[in-house]
Amino acid sequence: MTAVPVFLYHSVSDDPPPWIAPYTVTPRTFAEQLDRIADAGRTVIPLHRLVAALRGGPALPAAPAVLTFDDGFADAYWTVAQLLTERGLPATLFVTTGAVHPPGGEAAGSLLPPARMLNWRQVVTLDACGVEIGAHTRTHPQLDTLPSRWLASETVGCRQELEDVLGHRVTSFAYPHGYSSAAVRRQVGLAGFSSACAVVNAFSTAEDEPLRIARLMVRADTTAERFRSWTRGEGAPVAPLPERMRTKGWRLYRRARAAVGSPVGGPPEL
């Protein structure tokens, strides 16, 4: 397997709330990026095909790519789905269940700031249209700062909520903020997930970890040239990568702040 770009998106919108704007691309930019992937000769494959290959299954096309979306913004239904359908492209949407609301109702609640999020009817429709629905916890916490007794609620609980609505198994997971640890990854495996996506900002490869799949985050400030280099398999390291001391130190700091009741946010894991 060559270097595989697993692209991570959040919102695709012309008018996102300020808190998610740095991680948002416009519909026009998103369409251009999809065209660049095609122009580079890459075949967009479902995430589960990459996972199967990582676990020794069938070989992938010569130049694959994967599209993933985190959180569950409403534009996944109103904007993204149309652009994907026009091109016949698969994708995976990782849903924070506490942010999803019944049609006309209120969401159970999450740590995400206010934004237009999907309703459950839209989640079911996207699933029926071929978008793979994955789990992104119930409330979007920093999992590597939680006591172990809360991890099951956020992982198993999220999976059960999605499966109850969709009527089938949910096997893919993504870590909120990209944060995980060895203990968190063990819990995700025990929760019944066969794969989990991190951030890492690297290409996935045959040696990548199924429970820590590397992704490339597409941001508002991702230049056309940088994106083009990613489609060529250039401009980023390849997974697996050892956890850096900076990442470990940042985790210890976040855990200490959470322990005294003053949690700190921060950018997704680099």
Side-chain angles (χ1 to χ4, degrees), residues 1-7 45-61 64-68 92 132 194-197 203-210 213-215:
M1 186 194 305
T2 58
V4 180
V6 181
F7 295 108
I45 62 171
L47 176 64
H48 66 79
R49 281 196 63 186
L50 173 62
V51 174
L54 293 178
R55 295 187 176 277
L60 298 179
V66 178
L67 300 171
T68 67
T92 298
E132 178 187 7
S194 60
S195 70
C197 287
F203 294 103
S204 185
T205 67
E207 290 74 39
D208 205 355
E209 306 169 52
I213 296 172
R215 294 189 289 176

Side-chain angles (χ1 to χ4, degrees), residues 1-260:
M1 186 194 305
T2 58
V4 180
V6 181
F7 295 108
L8 162 57
Y9 291 91
H10 290 86
S11 178
V12 178
S13 172
D14 285 314
D15 58 345
W19 68 272
I20 197 61
Y23 307 102
T24 298
V25 299
T26 67
R28 178 177 178 178
T29 296
F30 180 59
E32 291 172 349
Q33 290 171 344
L34 295 179
D35 293 341
R36 288 195 184 100
I37 293 171
D39 292 343
R42 290 198 173 268
T43 301
V44 177
I45 62 171
L47 176 64
H48 66 79
R49 281 196 63 186
L50 173 62
V51 174
L54 293 178
R55 295 187 176 277
L60 298 179
V66 178
L67 300 171
T68 67
F69 299 81
D70 281 11
D71 297 336
F73 293 97
D75 53 64
Y77 180 85
W78 295 109
T79 303
V80 174
Q82 177 180 344
L83 292 170
L84 295 177
T85 300
E86 289 172 351
R87 294 163 174 79
L89 300 179
T92 298
L93 171 66
F94 294 106
V95 174
T96 302
T97 55
V100 181
H101 59 91
E106 297 293 326
S110 75
L111 298 173
L112 292 169
R116 289 189 65 198
M117 308 302 286
L118 292 166
N119 65 47
W120 283 113
R121 184 181 300 158
Q122 292 167 338
V123 172
V124 171
T125 300
L126 289 169
D127 177 71
C129 291
V131 175
E132 178 187 7
I133 304 299
H136 200 42
T137 73
R138 300 174 76 181
T139 67
H140 205 272
Q142 299 178 32
L143 291 176
D144 59 346
T145 67
L146 293 184
S148 58
R149 65 182 182 276
W150 289 359
L151 285 176
S153 173
E154 291 288 351
T155 55
V156 176
C158 179
R159 179 178 60 78
Q160 290 176 338
E161 288 176 351
L162 287 172
E163 291 180 350
D164 287 347
V165 171
L166 300 176
H168 61 74
R169 289 190 65 203
V170 172
T171 60
S172 58
F173 184 87
Y175 303 105
H177 309 281
Y179 294 142
S180 72
S181 65
V184 170
R185 292 190 287 275
R186 282 195 299 272
Q187 173 58 46
V188 167
L190 291 172
F193 296 104
S194 60
S195 70
C197 287
V199 179
V200 187
N201 282 317
F203 294 103
S204 185
T205 67
E207 290 74 39
D208 205 355
E209 306 169 52
L211 291 179
R212 189 174 176 258
I213 296 172
R215 294 189 289 176
L216 298 162
M217 184 186 295
V218 185
R219 298 168 45 110
D221 60 1
T222 300
T223 65
E225 182 51 41
R226 169 173 280 193
F227 192 90
R228 190 175 293 110
S229 70
W230 287 346
T231 67
R232 296 193 298 257
E234 303 168 355
V238 296
L241 296 173
E243 190 172 70
R244 294 183 293 183
M245 290 303 298
R246 185 176 72 173
T247 300
K248 295 178 180 178
W250 179 235
R251 179 183 301 127
L252 291 173
Y253 174 71
R254 290 185 292 105
R255 283 177 175 172
R257 289 285 298 270
V260 297

